[in-house]
């Protein structure tokens, strides 16, 4: 199997997508951050010293999705048409699940943008709550679904 990010001399390259058709491309990714009950309660009640943690994490997730090509070397700069974020409270964990959905009409997928958005959003929660709990764990960052393009639809079961 030939890797698409290597040329004939095994040098890194960005994949040429110029001959691909424009299609609507959607990706949804998610991840979880587990924390102490004290950190969870302070975030939910908005009593952290750094301000509204979850709202800031959503803004960071959107920014992360938009900056993916600056962070991951072989990703194309994309004109995202939509980035939507949801934060679910998980009191039984305790922690939060962040879900990011990205969309565009173009020649390449938006999976990396959704995954980067989730990662940056969760890292922002960690950053804003680390004074309360340095034992937080970011886990289960994954692609939930994608559609568009030649490879079709993927849905995690």
């Amino acid at each position: 199997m030939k890797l698409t990010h290597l040329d004939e001399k095994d040098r890194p390259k960005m994949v040429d997508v110029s001959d691909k058709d424009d299609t609507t491309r959607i990706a949804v990714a998610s991840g979880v951050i587990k924390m102490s009950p004290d950190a969870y309660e302070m975030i939910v009640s908005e009593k952290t010293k750094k301000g509204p943690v979850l709202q800031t994490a959503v803004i960071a997730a959107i920014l992360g999705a938009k900056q993916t090509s600056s962070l991951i070397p072989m990703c194309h700069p994309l004109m995202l048409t939509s980035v939507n974020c949801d934060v679910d409270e998980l009191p039984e964990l305790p922690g939060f699940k962040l879900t990011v959905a990205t969309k565009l009409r173009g020649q390449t997928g938006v999976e990396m943008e959704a995954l980067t958005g989730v990662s940056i959003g969760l890292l922002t929660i960690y950053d804003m709550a680390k004074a309360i709990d340095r034992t937080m764990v970011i886990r289960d960052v994954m692609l939930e679904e994608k559609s568009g393009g030649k490879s079709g639809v993927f849905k995690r079961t």
Side-chain angles (χ1 to χ4, degrees), residues 5-6 95 98 123:
H5 285 89
L6 296 175
L98 175 61
L123 286 167

Side-chain angles (χ1 to χ4, degrees), residues 3 10 47-48 53 55-56 79 82 100 103 117 145 148 150 152 156:
L3 298 175
D10 287 336
K47 292 183 180 171
T48 64
V53 173
Q55 294 90 325
T56 305
M79 292 296 297
S82 176
V100 175
K103 182 178 180 183
E145 60 185 84
K150 202 165 50 172
R156 185 172 297 279

Side-chain angles (χ1 to χ4, degrees), residues 3 5 15 18 23 44 51 61 75 82 92-93 96 99 105 111 125 128 136 149 152:
L3 298 175
H5 285 89
V15 174
S18 59
T23 62
V44 169
C75 284
S82 176
E92 69 282 357
L93 194 54
F96 301 93
T99 303
R105 181 154 183 86
E111 298 92 345
I125 293 171
M128 294 183 75
M136 289 179 283

Side-chain angles (χ1 to χ4, degrees), residues 67-82:
Q67 293 297 316
T68 299
S69 67
S70 297
L71 300 168
I72 301 177
M74 301 305 171
C75 284
H76 295 82
L78 301 179
M79 292 296 297
L80 295 172
T81 57
S82 176

Side-chain angles (χ1 to χ4, degrees), residues 23 38 41 69 81 87 97 104 120 125 128 131 139 146 148:
T23 62
D38 288 343
E41 285 304 320
S69 67
T81 57
V87 180
K97 179 179 181 181
L104 62 64
I120 297 300
I125 293 171
M128 294 183 75
R139 65 181 203 202
K146 66 135 310 242

Side-chain angles (χ1 to χ4, degrees), residues 4 11 21 58 60 62 78 99 109-110 148:
T4 59
R11 294 177 300 206
D21 292 332
V58 166
I62 293 168
L78 301 179
T99 303
V110 290

